[in-house]
Amino acid sequence: MQDLKDKKVFLLDMDGTIYLGNELIDGAKDFLEKIKEEGKSYIFLTNNSSKDRKSYVDKLRGLEIEAKEEEVYTSGLATITYLKDKKAGAKIYLLGTPALEREFEDAGFELVRERNREVDYVVLGFDTTLTYEKLWGACEYISEGIEYIATHPDFNCPLPDDKFMPDAGAMAALIEASTGETPYVVGKPNRGVIDSIASEYQIDKDDMIMVGDRLYTDIKTGINAGISTAVVFSGETKEEDYELSDTKADYAFESVKDMIKLI
């Protein structure tokens, strides 16, 4: 196992790792500043494909963390990179928010919004603007054999006060009930999101470490992609949960604050 000082790029989950809701986790700002002081870099990595980079930059700045758009990477962007490698300029039937639609169009894809058209791929994102018409079209295309891809597999998106909203995984379950088909998933915990980052940013995987609070997404992502991992107990996973889990990270910390002296 490499020493943390050898890691040059920190892939960071956000909620539960850097902040909780609208509050910074103690030491998070110092942790981020230390990474930059050491001449290293970080990329905030989220499965939420309903928002674009600017939305996350605005959120981070609201927490007094300066971030650039290129320092934020979503499962939506990972899916765009994946599809550009497969077929640039493809015709895509997209279930996504206007923000995700803009990102796909900016990347040169042609979005098809009607049924009974020529389509190369059906892509399912976290669509908070989902309609029956969108679902109907997706199910038709998928049933006809069009390749089907999802940005991420999360069933629910957490909200404050232990509430949640249905996420892309729940939408995929509905589509599976209708068509019998499941999507190829790009985002965490699949290695596709790490492969996309390595390709887009030209980063060697040996230089990366995935840091997050969820074993089944963040840590599994690193394991599946063959990169180093660090779990923090500041969010969903608690130390007692970790001790009982078969999923183990290379490093375990109470929070990112405890990583400062090691990087």
Side-chain angles (χ1 to χ4, degrees):
M1 183 171 63
Q2 286 183 298
D3 192 285
L4 270 181
K5 287 189 178 295
D6 296 327
K7 297 304 172 185
K8 299 176 183 176
V9 182
F10 291 74
L11 306 179
L12 305 174
D13 176 58
M14 287 189 273
D15 204 347
T17 303
I18 300 300
Y19 55 73
L20 282 171
N22 291 312
E23 291 187 12
L24 270 183
I25 288 170
D26 182 40
K29 188 172 183 180
D30 293 334
F31 168 69
L32 297 173
E33 289 174 351
K34 176 68 172 177
I35 291 173
K36 291 293 180 74
E37 286 171 9
E38 294 296 322
K40 303 178 181 185
S41 62
Y42 50 75
I43 298 171
F44 296 107
L45 177 57
T46 177
N47 259 2
N48 191 336
S49 60
S50 70
K51 299 176 183 176
D52 58 15
R53 282 171 156 167
K54 183 179 183 302
S55 299
Y56 285 107
V57 167
D58 290 344
K59 163 121 183 165
L60 290 164
R61 286 178 177 167
L63 294 171
E64 298 184 351
I65 293 175
E66 282 302 315
K68 302 173 185 175
E69 289 193 18
E70 58 266 29
E71 292 173 332
V72 175
Y73 205 72
T74 69
S75 64
L77 291 169
T79 303
I80 286 169
T81 299
Y82 171 77
L83 287 171
K84 283 173 75 173
D85 288 342
K86 286 173 69 72
K87 186 176 181 178
K91 295 182 176 69
I92 294 176
Y93 188 87
L94 175 65
L95 280 71
T97 59
L100 188 62
E101 289 179 342
R102 285 193 298 273
E103 289 185 322
F104 268 80
E105 289 177 327
D106 289 346
F109 293 107
E110 180 182 340
L111 297 187
V112 175
R113 294 179 171 85
E114 301 85 18
R115 293 161 43 222
N116 304 312
R117 294 274 304 278
E118 182 182 334
V119 171
D120 296 306
Y121 304 100
V122 173
V123 177
L124 170 65
F126 180 14
D127 190 1
T128 56
T129 62
L130 189 65
T131 64
Y132 185 84
E133 189 69 23
K134 284 187 185 181
L135 275 172
W136 187 3
C139 290
E140 275 193 347
Y141 284 124
I142 292 165
S143 296
E144 291 166 2
I146 300 300
E147 190 169 347
Y148 170 35
I149 295 159
T151 59
H152 63 292
D154 303 45
F155 283 101
N156 293 310
C157 178
L159 298 172
D161 302 320
D162 293 324
K163 295 185 178 181
F164 64 88
M165 58 194 295
D167 207 326
M171 299 170 193
L174 188 158
I175 292 171
E176 182 182 1
S178 173
T179 66
E181 300 295 331
T182 57
Y184 171 77
V185 179
V186 176
K188 297 186 288 186
N190 296 294
R191 65 173 294 158
V193 66
I194 304 299
D195 292 339
S196 292
I197 289 173
S199 172
E200 184 165 332
Y201 292 84
Q202 295 295 294
I203 302 170
D204 191 311
K205 286 187 178 180
D206 287 340
D207 293 330
M208 296 178 176
I209 182 167
M210 180 72 223
V211 184
D213 67 304
R214 293 187 182 189
L215 297 176
Y216 58 91
T217 53
D218 303 319
I219 305 309
K220 275 286 191 182
T221 300
I223 292 170
N224 291 338
I227 66 172
S228 297
T229 56
V231 64
V232 289
F233 303 134
S234 52
E236 181 175 304
T237 300
K238 304 305 178 188
E239 190 167 2
E240 53 268 29
D241 303 323
Y242 183 65
E243 295 301 326
L244 295 172
S245 175
D246 292 330
T247 300
K248 298 297 183 186
D250 295 307
Y251 305 91
F253 301 98
E254 283 300 317
S255 74
V256 292
K257 183 178 184 179
D258 297 323
M259 298 176 67
I260 295 173
K261 59 183 178 294
L262 300 176
I263 59 176

